């Protein structure tokens, strides 16, 4: 891979964090056949819950000794930083989690602790990014038309520190072309559709044909599910996403109708926790939750809702009204990366991503329904 003189110097830097970051980017570039590094506008770091990275990860982060060069944000942690006790998080976990965030702040990362960084700051079409967090990656590529590969937490940190990423994969326009048309028939739930599509596709990029326009929130759920059950990092939708017309129409076709989505009906258990907000809820989704609660009444089961701290702080009245029905709105974390979920037996979600990861990571049974189904269940 070609390196400029300045990049060569960084590779030989006496600062081990800078030299190691360059080594990581060069190694990745060589594996994937990149010819050069390109500048990025932002990095997003995932995998920062103490539950996931433990003491080894914490030590690694504390050893970092350089500042990020570009705006760098971070994913949800293992607890709400203000209400961790209410979540049942113990003091030791809390202290370790705080240390992780302090280590990231020390390198200049912004502790937004959300998987929806695109709600906080405008990301533009064509912008190059180095994001980890599969749901944010697929949203940035597909819905916004920005460009990022599926980075790991470590490569996102390296890119943040150097301000660059290897130029390969989805950074290159022609690699974003679809390989297969997926016809979705009927009024299909976006999480269910994404769950199914992700499990069918191998590494192909789909061009979806759908009967109706999806909202941005639905596109978020569709992509998050697709990226969880498969390796998807981009999709196109005819007439809806920004790059769908830029390429020819693939020959290969797959048909999916509501009968194909029956597999989600197998996820049935009697929930003792209903959890919404995977990915973190938007303001519109919070309003939908409130509307559903106003129609149904006070909760009789635990209803946990996850959104970013910034959205919560900007919508205090909305959050208070949701909580007046007995729900709890948490920030900085989510039902998948927090150990708090483990004390429950069955968790009901409206997210194909949470459906995929909760049994694996939190060892709980799962049940699936729409946002409105979930709220209804919480009051019965
Ligand atoms: Fe976000 Fe947690 Fe889901 S990080 S996408 S809410 S698993």
């Amino acid at each position: 891979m070609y390196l400029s003189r300045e990049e060569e110097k960084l590779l030989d830097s006496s600062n081990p964090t800078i030299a190691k970051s360059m080594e990581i980017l060069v190694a990745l570039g060589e594996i994937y056949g990149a010819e050069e590094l390109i500048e990025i506008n932002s990095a997003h770091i995932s995998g920062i819950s103490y539950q996931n990275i433990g003491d080894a990860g914490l030590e690694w982060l504390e050893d970092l000794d350089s500042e990020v060069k570009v705006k760098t944000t971070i994913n949800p942690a293992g607890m709400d930083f203000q209400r961790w006790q209410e979540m049942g998080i113990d003091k030791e976990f809390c202290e370790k989690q705080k240390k992780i965030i302090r280590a990231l702040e020390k390198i200049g990362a912004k502790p937004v602790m959300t998987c929806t960084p695109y709600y906080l700051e405008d990301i533009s079409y064509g912008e190059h990014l180095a994001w980890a967090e599969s749901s944010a990656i697929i949203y940035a590529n597909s819905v916004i038309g920005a460009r990022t590969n599926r980075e790991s937490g470590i490569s996102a940190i390296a890119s943040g520190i150097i301000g660059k990423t290897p130029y390969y994969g989805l950074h290159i326009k022609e690699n974003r072309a679809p390989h297969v048309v997926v016809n979705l028939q009927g009024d299909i739930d976006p999480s269910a559709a994404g769950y199914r599509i992700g499990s069918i596709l191998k590494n192909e990029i789909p061009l979806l044909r759908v009967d109706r326009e999806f909202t941005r929130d639905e596109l978020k759920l569709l992509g998050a599910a697709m990226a969880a059950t498969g390796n998807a990092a981009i999709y196109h939708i005819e007439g809806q996403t920004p790059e769908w017309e830029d390429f020819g129409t693939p020959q290969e076709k797959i048909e999916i109708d509501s009968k194909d989505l029956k597999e989600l009906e197998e996820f049935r258990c009697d929930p003792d926790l209903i959890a919404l907000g995977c990915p973190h809820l938007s303001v519109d989704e919070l309003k939908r939750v409130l509307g559903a609660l106003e129609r149904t009444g006070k909760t009789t089961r635990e209803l946990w809702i996850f959104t970013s701290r910034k959205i919560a702080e900007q919508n205090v009245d909305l959050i208070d009204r949701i909580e007046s029905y007995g729900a709890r709105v948490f920030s900085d974390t989510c039902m998948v990366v927090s150990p708090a979920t483990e004390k429950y037996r069955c968790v009901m979600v409206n997210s194909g991503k949470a459906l995929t990861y909760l049994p694996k990571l939190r060892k709980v049974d799962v049940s699936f329904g729409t946002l409105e189904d979930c709220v209804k269940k919480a009051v019965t």
Side-chain angles (χ1 to χ4, degrees), residues 131-132 134 137 148-152 155 168 226-228 230-233 357:
W131 283 11
S134 63
I137 293 161
T148 175
N149 288 318
R150 269 179 88 139
E151 301 294 343
S152 66
S155 67
Y168 73 95
M226 212 186 287
N231 287 326
Y357 286 115

Side-chain angles (χ1 to χ4, degrees), residues 75-76 115 133 135 224 277-280 333-337 351 353-354 357:
N75 228 29
C115 48
E133 172 44 48
S135 70
C278 174
H280 277 175
T333 187
C334 80
M335 68 289 257
V336 172
V337 299
S351 155
K353 176 165 180 178
Y357 286 115

Side-chain angles (χ1 to χ4, degrees), residues 93-144:
F93 184 97
C94 173
E95 287 310 318
K96 300 276 186 169
Q97 186 64 73
K98 283 183 176 167
K99 282 187 180 177
I100 289 172
I101 301 306
R102 276 200 292 273
L104 287 163
E105 282 183 295
K106 201 182 86 191
I107 65 165
K110 286 176 150 191
V112 294
M113 289 178 276
T114 181
C115 48
T116 54
Y118 43 84
Y119 286 155
L120 309 185
E121 304 203 35
D122 284 340
I123 309 293
S124 308
Y125 178 92
E127 233 179 89
H128 292 280
L129 318 167
W131 283 11
E133 172 44 48
S134 63
S135 70
I137 293 161
I138 197 165
Y139 189 94
N141 279 318
S142 313
V143 182
I144 301 173

